[in-house]
mmCIF file of all heavy atoms in Angstrom:
data_model
loop_
_atom_site.group_PDB
_atom_site.id
_atom_site.type_symbol
_atom_site.label_atom_id
_atom_site.label_comp_id
_atom_site.label_asym_id
_atom_site.label_seq_id
_atom_site.Cartn_x
_atom_site.Cartn_y
_atom_site.Cartn_z
ATOM 1 N N ASP E 225 7.953 11.931 -33.065
ATOM 2 C CA ASP E 225 9.179 11.122 -33.106
ATOM 3 C C ASP E 225 9.309 10.117 -31.959
ATOM 4 O O ASP E 225 10.364 9.502 -31.801
ATOM 5 C CB ASP E 225 10.443 12.003 -33.091
ATOM 6 C CG ASP E 225 10.526 12.872 -34.332
ATOM 7 O OD1 ASP E 225 9.952 12.475 -35.364
ATOM 8 O OD2 ASP E 225 11.152 13.946 -34.267
ATOM 9 N N ALA E 226 8.251 9.948 -31.161
ATOM 10 C CA ALA E 226 8.374 9.012 -30.031
ATOM 11 C C ALA E 226 8.516 7.578 -30.531
ATOM 12 O O ALA E 226 8.896 6.687 -29.774
ATOM 13 C CB ALA E 226 7.183 9.138 -29.082
ATOM 14 N N LYS E 227 8.209 7.340 -31.804
ATOM 15 C CA LYS E 227 8.450 6.004 -32.349
ATOM 16 C C LYS E 227 9.930 5.769 -32.614
ATOM 17 O O LYS E 227 10.404 4.642 -32.653
ATOM 18 C CB LYS E 227 7.672 5.819 -33.654
ATOM 19 C CG LYS E 227 6.257 5.316 -33.434
ATOM 20 C CD LYS E 227 5.667 4.859 -34.744
ATOM 21 C CE LYS E 227 4.189 4.575 -34.581
ATOM 22 N NZ LYS E 227 3.541 4.340 -35.859
ATOM 23 N N LYS E 228 10.641 6.895 -32.844
ATOM 24 C CA LYS E 228 12.063 6.757 -33.192
ATOM 25 C C LYS E 228 12.999 6.965 -32.006
ATOM 26 O O LYS E 228 14.100 6.439 -31.976
ATOM 27 C CB LYS E 228 12.406 7.754 -34.317
ATOM 28 C CG LYS E 228 11.885 7.297 -35.681
ATOM 29 C CD LYS E 228 12.253 8.263 -36.784
ATOM 30 C CE LYS E 228 11.264 9.407 -36.850
ATOM 31 N NZ LYS E 228 11.579 10.423 -37.865
ATOM 32 N N SER E 229 12.549 7.799 -31.047
ATOM 33 C CA SER E 229 13.439 8.083 -29.920
ATOM 34 C C SER E 229 12.597 8.306 -28.663
ATOM 35 O O SER E 229 11.418 8.642 -28.754
ATOM 36 C CB SER E 229 14.266 9.335 -30.227
ATOM 37 O OG SER E 229 13.397 10.400 -30.534
ATOM 38 N N ASP E 230 13.204 8.120 -27.525
ATOM 39 C CA ASP E 230 12.459 8.234 -26.268
ATOM 40 C C ASP E 230 12.063 9.680 -25.973
ATOM 41 O O ASP E 230 12.852 10.600 -26.141
ATOM 42 C CB ASP E 230 13.308 7.729 -25.097
ATOM 43 C CG ASP E 230 13.550 6.232 -25.178
ATOM 44 O OD1 ASP E 230 12.888 5.565 -25.997
ATOM 45 O OD2 ASP E 230 14.400 5.737 -24.426
ATOM 46 N N VAL E 231 10.833 9.845 -25.507
ATOM 47 C CA VAL E 231 10.353 11.144 -25.031
ATOM 48 C C VAL E 231 9.930 10.958 -23.572
ATOM 49 O O VAL E 231 9.291 9.953 -23.234
ATOM 50 C CB VAL E 231 9.156 11.636 -25.869
ATOM 51 C CG1 VAL E 231 8.540 12.882 -25.268
ATOM 52 C CG2 VAL E 231 9.585 11.896 -27.313
ATOM 53 N N ALA E 232 10.314 11.910 -22.730
ATOM 54 C CA ALA E 232 9.945 11.829 -21.307
ATOM 55 C C ALA E 232 8.962 12.942 -20.964
ATOM 56 O O ALA E 232 9.178 14.102 -21.310
ATOM 57 C CB ALA E 232 11.189 11.939 -20.428
ATOM 58 N N PHE E 233 7.888 12.565 -20.299
ATOM 59 C CA PHE E 233 6.852 13.512 -19.883
ATOM 60 C C PHE E 233 6.792 13.451 -18.356
ATOM 61 O O PHE E 233 6.403 12.438 -17.777
ATOM 62 C CB PHE E 233 5.520 13.099 -20.526
ATOM 63 C CG PHE E 233 4.353 13.991 -20.208
ATOM 64 C CD1 PHE E 233 4.276 15.272 -20.756
ATOM 65 C CD2 PHE E 233 3.321 13.551 -19.396
ATOM 66 C CE1 PHE E 233 3.183 16.103 -20.482
ATOM 67 C CE2 PHE E 233 2.227 14.375 -19.119
ATOM 68 C CZ PHE E 233 2.166 15.655 -19.670
ATOM 69 N N LEU E 234 7.231 14.523 -17.723
ATOM 70 C CA LEU E 234 7.368 14.521 -16.259
ATOM 71 C C LEU E 234 6.125 15.109 -15.597
ATOM 72 O O LEU E 234 5.610 16.139 -16.033
ATOM 73 C CB LEU E 234 8.584 15.357 -15.838
ATOM 74 C CG LEU E 234 9.886 15.121 -16.605
ATOM 75 C CD1 LEU E 234 11.018 15.926 -15.961
ATOM 76 C CD2 LEU E 234 10.224 13.653 -16.650
ATOM 77 N N VAL E 235 5.680 14.457 -14.559
ATOM 78 C CA VAL E 235 4.491 14.890 -13.836
ATOM 79 C C VAL E 235 4.819 14.930 -12.352
ATOM 80 O O VAL E 235 5.357 13.953 -11.815
ATOM 81 C CB VAL E 235 3.315 13.918 -14.074
ATOM 82 C CG1 VAL E 235 2.061 14.385 -13.351
ATOM 83 C CG2 VAL E 235 3.038 13.744 -15.561
ATOM 84 N N VAL E 236 4.516 16.033 -11.695
ATOM 85 C CA VAL E 236 4.706 16.102 -10.248
ATOM 86 C C VAL E 236 3.775 15.088 -9.585
ATOM 87 O O VAL E 236 2.618 14.947 -10.000
ATOM 88 C CB VAL E 236 4.427 17.526 -9.732
ATOM 89 C CG1 VAL E 236 4.492 17.580 -8.203
ATOM 90 C CG2 VAL E 236 5.440 18.494 -10.321
ATOM 91 N N GLY E 237 4.280 14.377 -8.592
ATOM 92 C CA GLY E 237 3.490 13.308 -7.980
ATOM 93 C C GLY E 237 3.575 12.067 -8.853
ATOM 94 O O GLY E 237 4.658 11.700 -9.310
ATOM 95 N N ASP E 238 2.435 11.436 -9.095
ATOM 96 C CA ASP E 238 2.367 10.244 -9.950
ATOM 97 C C ASP E 238 1.675 10.618 -11.265
ATOM 98 O O ASP E 238 0.795 11.470 -11.276
ATOM 99 C CB ASP E 238 1.574 9.148 -9.228
ATOM 100 C CG ASP E 238 1.606 7.838 -9.985
ATOM 101 O OD1 ASP E 238 2.661 7.189 -9.987
ATOM 102 O OD2 ASP E 238 0.584 7.469 -10.600
ATOM 103 N N PRO E 239 2.075 9.985 -12.383
ATOM 104 C CA PRO E 239 1.525 10.414 -13.674
ATOM 105 C C PRO E 239 0.012 10.241 -13.833
ATOM 106 O O PRO E 239 -0.579 10.868 -14.697
ATOM 107 C CB PRO E 239 2.245 9.509 -14.683
ATOM 108 C CG PRO E 239 3.479 9.054 -14.004
ATOM 109 C CD PRO E 239 3.128 8.967 -12.550
ATOM 110 N N PHE E 240 -0.614 9.391 -13.013
ATOM 111 C CA PHE E 240 -2.038 9.147 -13.232
ATOM 112 C C PHE E 240 -2.943 9.852 -12.221
ATOM 113 O O PHE E 240 -4.025 9.380 -11.926
ATOM 114 C CB PHE E 240 -2.326 7.644 -13.296
ATOM 115 C CG PHE E 240 -2.047 7.094 -14.661
ATOM 116 C CD1 PHE E 240 -0.814 6.576 -14.978
ATOM 117 C CD2 PHE E 240 -3.019 7.152 -15.648
ATOM 118 C CE1 PHE E 240 -0.550 6.089 -16.250
ATOM 119 C CE2 PHE E 240 -2.767 6.672 -16.922
ATOM 120 C CZ PHE E 240 -1.533 6.147 -17.227
ATOM 121 N N GLY E 241 -2.486 10.986 -11.727
ATOM 122 C CA GLY E 241 -3.327 11.764 -10.841
ATOM 123 C C GLY E 241 -4.432 12.517 -11.568
ATOM 124 O O GLY E 241 -5.522 12.687 -11.038
ATOM 125 N N ALA E 242 -4.172 12.952 -12.776
ATOM 126 C CA ALA E 242 -5.126 13.843 -13.465
ATOM 127 C C ALA E 242 -5.603 13.209 -14.779
ATOM 128 O O ALA E 242 -4.833 12.568 -15.487
ATOM 129 C CB ALA E 242 -4.464 15.178 -13.750
ATOM 130 N N THR E 243 -6.872 13.423 -15.075
ATOM 131 C CA THR E 243 -7.514 12.786 -16.232
ATOM 132 C C THR E 243 -6.792 13.021 -17.546
ATOM 133 O O THR E 243 -6.732 12.142 -18.389
ATOM 134 C CB THR E 243 -8.930 13.353 -16.428
ATOM 135 O OG1 THR E 243 -9.487 13.579 -15.163
ATOM 136 C CG2 THR E 243 -9.777 12.389 -17.227
#
Side-chain angles (χ1 to χ4, degrees):
Chain E
D225 296 334
K227 273 193 189 171
K228 284 181 277 178
S229 55
D230 293 348
V231 172
F233 181 71
L234 314 186
V235 181
V236 175
D238 187 73
F240 277 92
T243 323

